[in-house]
Amino acid sequence: MTKWNHPDLGDFKFDCTGWAKQYDFAAFKPFIYRWHGRNVGCSKIKLEFEAEDETELPSKQAVTVARRVIKNQETLAKRIAKAVWNDLQGKGEDSGMWWHGDTNTINEMIDAGFKDRKRKPFDKLDDIYHLIGGASVWIRESIWLYEKPSATITFEAAFDIEHGLGVLTDGSRILGTGYQTSVTPYFKEQFHKKSR
């Protein structure tokens, strides 16, 4: 298996979708929902730089985003909880997702997402920590409608067990919420291009 070493971030292995390793993100440990059980209650989670093959190494800008996520993880965890809570409540930035403010369907999905387990409440911001979990951090060079390096922090989600949740960030701000693998930025963040 091909390896890549970054002087600060350490050794990464290429795993078919990018350069990956387990990294300590203790701030994401409180997000404890599990459907499949990955990384729940664990501070070491997957950090991955998306790459087509072993010849594609992360850009300096992508590494900068990863460093920002690592440095700001405590603030980001709080911002993620607030952004997801506001999105589900139909407040703040509109993700454009089916769940934006649709509390009746959200509650039906949460019931399904807990199967035979005791249903968690959904009536205050702190309940988000029980509704999403199993985080991983995915660094991408660009995505549709946002052509700059960014990070998608992915979670399993009780309100959408099929697609999960992706939270898009530049390492400091929350740029969008959506499905794990296809999150797009909020409208005000769209069409930002790489600076040359």
Side-chain angles (χ1 to χ4, degrees), residues 2-169:
T2 306
K3 293 183 180 180
W4 165 66
N5 177 273
H6 184 272
D8 299 331
L9 301 178
D11 292 327
F12 289 77
K13 293 180 182 177
F14 191 81
D15 72 353
C16 298
T17 58
W19 298 100
K21 72 176 291 179
Q22 295 296 110
Y23 204 91
D24 190 11
F25 286 98
F28 300 137
K29 188 175 179 178
F31 296 103
I32 59 171
Y33 174 75
R34 65 177 168 73
W35 177 255
H36 297 294
R38 69 173 190 194
N39 303 329
V40 175
C42 180
S43 63
K44 289 226 180 233
I45 63 173
K46 187 176 188 180
L47 169 62
E48 180 171 6
F49 291 89
E50 182 180 54
E52 292 289 322
D53 58 42
E54 296 108 359
T55 64
E56 184 182 349
L57 297 178
S59 69
K60 288 180 184 178
Q61 295 86 354
V63 170
T64 297
V65 170
R67 283 182 171 149
R68 262 193 241 127
V69 172
I70 292 164
K71 178 184 172 189
N72 299 327
Q73 62 181 286
E74 287 184 29
T75 302
L76 278 175
K78 292 174 187 166
R79 288 180 178 164
I80 287 167
K82 186 174 182 181
V84 174
W85 171 256
N86 285 339
D87 196 12
L88 296 177
Q89 296 298 310
K91 300 175 185 173
E93 298 293 335
D94 186 347
S95 62
M97 299 303 297
W98 68 263
W99 58 63
H100 186 77
D102 186 354
T103 54
N104 288 335
T105 306
I106 290 166
N107 278 307
E108 289 174 13
M109 296 299 280
I110 290 170
D111 285 339
F114 277 93
K115 295 192 302 185
D116 301 328
R117 295 174 282 162
K118 183 179 176 196
R119 183 196 196 286
K120 303 297 181 192
F122 172 57
D123 51 22
K124 61 187 182 304
L125 188 143
D126 283 352
D127 295 332
I128 292 301
Y129 294 98
H130 297 280
L131 299 179
I132 63 175
S136 64
V137 178
W138 186 22
I139 309 295
R140 302 174 76 188
E141 295 291 338
S142 70
I143 63 165
W144 186 59
L145 303 176
Y146 192 83
E147 297 179 14
K148 295 194 300 187
S150 61
T152 301
I153 302 172
T154 65
F155 297 92
E156 293 181 12
F159 54 87
D160 197 323
I161 57 174
E162 183 178 356
H163 302 103
L165 171 72
V167 179
L168 186 67
T169 180

